[in-house]
Amino acid sequence: MKKFELVFIPIPGSGHLASMVEMANTLLARDHRLAVTMIAFKLPLDPKANEYIQSLSAQSLTNNNSIQFIVLPELPDIPNNGNRFFLEVVLESYKPHVKQALISFLTTSTNHLAGFVLDSFCSTMVDVANEFKVPSYVYYTSCAAYLAFSLHLEQLYTQDNSSNEVIQQLKDSDVNLSVPSLVNQVPSKTIPSVFFINNFAVWFHEQAKRIRFDVKGVLINTFEELESHALSSLSTDSSLQLPPLYSVGPVLHLNKNTETMDDGDVLKWLDDQPLSSVVFLCFGSRGAFKKDQVEEIARALERSRVRFIWSLRRPGNVFQSSIDYTNFEDILPKGFLDRTQNIGRVISWAPQVEILGHPATGGFVSHCGWNSTLESLWHGVPMATWPMYAEQQFNAFDLVVELGLAVEIKISYCIELKEQANPIIMAEEIERGIRKLMDNNKNEIRKKVKTKSEECRKSVIEGGSSFISLGKFIDDVLSNSTTGGN
């Protein structure tokens, strides 16, 4: 049967890639008139993402109903232009290769090309879609509040005649920023550092501008019941000139994770712990600390006497995933493992979904990546915020202040892109946050998170808000599709 083909283009980062794959799978399961081809490219920055691409590509060859993958090779000579953001240079370099790969694909495909679905960082690929005379859509892997915030910064930047002075004035200040689609003012210290680095900031503003003017719709990995105010405000703010927004989340990969040897031991240990008694510390694929901060976390856990699972990993290079330790005793305080052997486990790469879904898990000390946040809400596990990079500081603000769904260890913590000393959170502050998170008797946040867990699960089943929104997106894709695509 001839189908309507959507071309997905993710960036090759673990969180973005996995989320887009799940979005594609959700569409294929929802409507059999659709087909998806994913154009993926590899970068040396994230070996785990490259391994994931290879695995999915191999699977697609043996499963006719799955996503079809076109994996482009690494480019041998990417220009080193210090005046432009590295990812911008990479994506621009790949554009002719994406075009040629799609031309080759279409010569053998009988499907009707219906449009491109682009990661929000890949909006430059709209130019390729335009050459094929098909519409583009964006899949937004962050929250609706961050979309509102990014669009507002872009408007400030444009109104200031591209001088960026208004945004630069916020750097290292205690000024709060009013954002039309948010209830609370945003502290300047939670603004991602990329917005204060001029060549980075210009590129990010350009992505926001293209969302406003160059695409037919925006899929957002959130749900109406979680971000009703931000979604409603975005949709009704005529000054933004936004295309239709589709809240289709939570889009999650909830299948069993089999990639680590530690899974069996740590899950077996969890089976023996009381209900909601264990705090889980995990900081994402790039989340890692140097020795002085590791020692403060260890002190906090030992002093709190709370049961714990701690995913502890070694920092990689800038933009790279963290790395496993060969011996935890090299980084932990002397005797820590012996003193805590009855109340905790230190592991490397964590089976996060399984741990969050276990009834013994009662709290999550998180870097506030949006995928991890949605996984925690899905399983009804309250969070303590410890953001590290990208938009995580904003997410922490959103969770603690805007939504009231998390407790704070730190909102403004940030590991900078450039080499410099990172801030240290002392054991006393960490311990205070963990105790507040795990206090079952006084924790109103725990009750609110349980309610959101029920709402997010209902949102994706038939009749739910995200189910309905996804149906509207599919209808719009089919109505926007024209015979000019192939």
Side-chain angles (χ1 to χ4, degrees), residues 279 281 294-308 310 332-344 346 427-428 430-431 434-435:
V279 63
L281 296 88
V294 169
E295 290 176 346
E296 294 299 320
I297 297 172
R299 282 180 55 214
L301 288 171
E302 197 167 354
R303 287 163 44 134
S304 74
R305 302 303 296 171
V306 171
R307 292 175 174 85
F308 68 87
W310 180 8
L332 289 167
K334 186 176 180 179
F336 172 81
L337 293 174
D338 291 333
R339 294 191 299 271
T340 60
Q341 63 179 334
N342 293 326
I343 64 165
V346 180
E428 293 76 12
I430 302 168
E431 180 189 1
I434 289 174
R435 287 186 180 278

Side-chain angles (χ1 to χ4, degrees), residues 35-51:
V36 170
T37 294
M38 188 163 292
I39 299 181
F41 39 89
K42 299 179 182 180
L43 293 177
L45 302 178
D46 195 340
K48 278 196 170 293
N50 292 345
E51 292 170 13

Side-chain angles (χ1 to χ4, degrees), residues 137-170:
Y137 308 88
V138 158
Y139 177 60
Y140 201 76
T141 55
S142 298
C143 59
Y146 186 67
L147 175 60
F149 169 75
S150 300
L151 294 169
H152 182 61
L153 286 189
E154 186 271 323
Q155 285 187 309
L156 287 179
Y157 175 77
T158 301
Q159 291 165 5
D160 198 40
N161 298 317
S162 301
S163 68
N164 212 18
E165 290 179 6
V166 173
I167 298 171
Q168 285 295 332
Q169 288 170 6
L170 297 170

Side-chain angles (χ1 to χ4, degrees), residues 183-212:
V183 174
N184 298 279
Q185 292 186 323
V186 179
S188 59
K189 293 187 184 302
T190 67
I191 297 175
S193 58
V194 293
F195 288 108
F196 302 120
I197 304 170
N198 192 52
N199 56 329
F200 287 19
V202 170
W203 185 75
F204 275 85
H205 295 320
E206 182 62 27
Q207 307 314 298
K209 190 172 184 178
R210 297 204 79 159
I211 287 175
R212 290 173 61 198

Side-chain angles (χ1 to χ4, degrees), residues 7 85 147 201 236 320 436:
V7 174
F85 185 33
L147 175 60
T236 56
Q320 286 188 323
K436 184 176 180 181

Side-chain angles (χ1 to χ4, degrees), residues 92-301:
E92 289 296 326
S93 300
Y94 265 111
K95 279 166 73 171
H97 301 276
V98 169
K99 178 182 176 181
Q100 190 56 52
L102 194 52
I103 289 172
S104 299
F105 170 75
L106 292 174
T107 59
T108 59
S109 174
T110 60
N111 292 340
H112 175 75
L113 184 60
F116 282 30
V117 178
L118 307 171
D119 185 285
S120 56
F121 287 161
C122 292
S123 64
T124 188
M125 297 296 173
V126 168
D127 299 335
V128 182
N130 289 342
E131 291 191 55
F132 286 94
K133 296 182 172 59
V134 294
S136 295
Y137 308 88
V138 158
Y139 177 60
Y140 201 76
T141 55
S142 298
C143 59
Y146 186 67
L147 175 60
F149 169 75
S150 300
L151 294 169
H152 182 61
L153 286 189
E154 186 271 323
Q155 285 187 309
L156 287 179
Y157 175 77
T158 301
Q159 291 165 5
D160 198 40
N161 298 317
S162 301
S163 68
N164 212 18
E165 290 179 6
V166 173
I167 298 171
Q168 285 295 332
Q169 288 170 6
L170 297 170
K171 187 179 182 181
D172 300 324
S173 74
D174 294 321
V175 175
N176 292 337
L177 179 67
S178 293
V179 178
S181 295
L182 302 181
V183 174
N184 298 279
Q185 292 186 323
V186 179
S188 59
K189 293 187 184 302
T190 67
I191 297 175
S193 58
V194 293
F195 288 108
F196 302 120
I197 304 170
N198 192 52
N199 56 329
F200 287 19
V202 170
W203 185 75
F204 275 85
H205 295 320
E206 182 62 27
Q207 307 314 298
K209 190 172 184 178
R210 297 204 79 159
I211 287 175
R212 290 173 61 198
F213 299 117
D214 294 347
V215 302
K216 287 286 188 180
V218 183
L219 293 153
I220 310 179
N221 190 8
T222 190
F223 55 102
E224 175 68 30
E225 293 79 2
L226 177 63
E227 296 193 272
S228 58
H229 178 79
L231 287 166
S232 174
S233 298
L234 283 169
S235 298
T236 56
D237 187 346
S238 59
S239 70
L240 292 174
Q241 299 177 265
L242 280 174
L245 304 179
Y246 308 94
S247 53
V248 296
V251 179
L252 299 172
H253 180 69
L254 297 172
N255 295 334
K256 181 169 174 54
N257 183 345
T258 58
E259 74 177 286
T260 171
M261 295 295 290
D262 292 326
D263 290 19
D265 289 343
V266 73
L267 295 176
K268 191 179 298 182
W269 179 81
L270 271 175
D271 290 339
D272 296 330
Q273 308 311 310
L275 184 70
S276 299
S277 66
V278 177
V279 63
F280 174 42
L281 296 88
C282 188
F283 301 93
S285 60
R286 283 167 42 210
F289 302 100
K290 295 181 179 178
K291 187 175 178 62
D292 47 4
Q293 184 64 80
V294 169
E295 290 176 346
E296 294 299 320
I297 297 172
R299 282 180 55 214
L301 288 171

Side-chain angles (χ1 to χ4, degrees), residues 41 43 72-73 75-80 84 86-99 124-125:
F41 39 89
L43 293 177
L72 301 180
L75 297 180
D77 296 308
I78 296 175
N80 184 11
R84 298 173 69 192
F86 173 71
L87 190 56
E88 175 188 6
V89 177
V90 170
L91 291 170
E92 289 296 326
S93 300
Y94 265 111
K95 279 166 73 171
H97 301 276
V98 169
K99 178 182 176 181
T124 188
M125 297 296 173

